[in-house]
Amino acid sequence: MFGIAIGLVTANAAEWAFHKYITHGLGQNKGSFWSFHWFDHHRNVRKFAGRDPDYETPLTKWNGQTKEAAALLGASLAIAPLFPIAPFFVGTMIYSAFDYYRTHKRAHLDPAWAREHVPWHYDHHMGPNQDANWCVTRPWMDNWMGTREPYAHTELEARAEAKRARRAVAA
């Protein structure tokens, strides 16, 4: 049963590192497979105030959502052979991959839900620094690594919303 705790911490660390170094690090290179994250997902989320229309399409369409699901499935399959040795750890890692996908999809279909239930991820996209707040499911590694920068429910967000409202009235 100790494998469950180790699996939860490992999954959160992997989520943080993968997001920071792969989907942002490699993803900022237009020739990279991971470029969809920066050039499609982040662009969509900023353009549509937290929503990403890719999550409204079926998994049969090859887009950012499908690539994310394929990467999570690949990671789950890669760790599956360890199941006979560490069943609780592997089970928790596979559960965490599913939870990541479910949480990330819901966050980008319902930004108001994300702001309330996963504000660290909302902050990653809607805050001024998109190179912070790397976690999606739980903020553990962001807190531990010092990369958590709150934005939702702060004075900074209130000022940004007021500025957007003034621009909308002026337009």
Side-chain angles (χ1 to χ4, degrees):
M1 294 270 237
F2 189 58
I4 294 171
I6 294 171
L8 288 171
V9 171
T10 302
N12 194 249
E15 175 182 311
W16 182 91
F18 198 86
H19 194 178
K20 180 175 173 55
Y21 296 111
I22 304 298
T23 61
H24 275 248
L26 296 177
Q28 291 189 26
N29 174 353
K30 282 198 177 207
S32 168
F33 169 81
W34 306 105
S35 66
F36 73 88
H37 181 80
W38 185 253
F39 293 100
D40 297 333
H41 179 59
H42 274 263
R43 182 193 66 229
N44 285 344
V45 172
R46 287 292 216 181
K47 182 178 180 180
F48 299 111
R51 290 184 65 82
D52 185 344
D54 280 356
Y55 287 98
E56 296 169 0
T57 64
L59 282 171
T60 54
K61 182 176 180 188
W62 190 243
N63 61 20
Q65 174 194 207
T66 312
K67 291 175 183 179
E68 177 180 83
L72 291 165
L73 178 61
S76 295
L77 291 173
I79 198 170
L82 296 176
F83 188 80
I85 301 164
F88 290 105
F89 174 78
V90 173
T92 300
M93 292 292 287
I94 292 171
Y95 159 79
S96 294
F98 172 78
D99 187 46
Y100 176 95
Y101 178 78
R102 181 186 61 81
T103 302
H104 197 223
K105 180 175 182 169
R106 183 163 184 194
H108 292 299
L109 289 176
D110 186 354
W113 177 87
R115 187 173 177 269
E116 296 306 315
H117 297 280
V118 287
W120 47 89
H121 187 62
Y122 176 89
D123 297 346
H124 171 71
H125 285 289
M126 303 312 293
N129 184 4
Q130 293 185 58
D131 287 320
N133 303 307
W134 303 108
C135 295
V136 172
T137 58
R138 296 166 196 86
W140 301 339
M141 286 302 294
D142 279 316
N143 290 333
W144 190 36
M145 300 300 285
T147 54
R148 177 76 178 99
E149 293 182 12
Y151 176 70
H153 309 287
T154 67
E155 181 60 32
L156 182 60
E157 182 190 39
R159 285 195 310 266
E161 287 299 317
K163 185 176 180 181
R164 275 192 281 281
R166 284 192 303 273
R167 275 191 288 204
V169 169

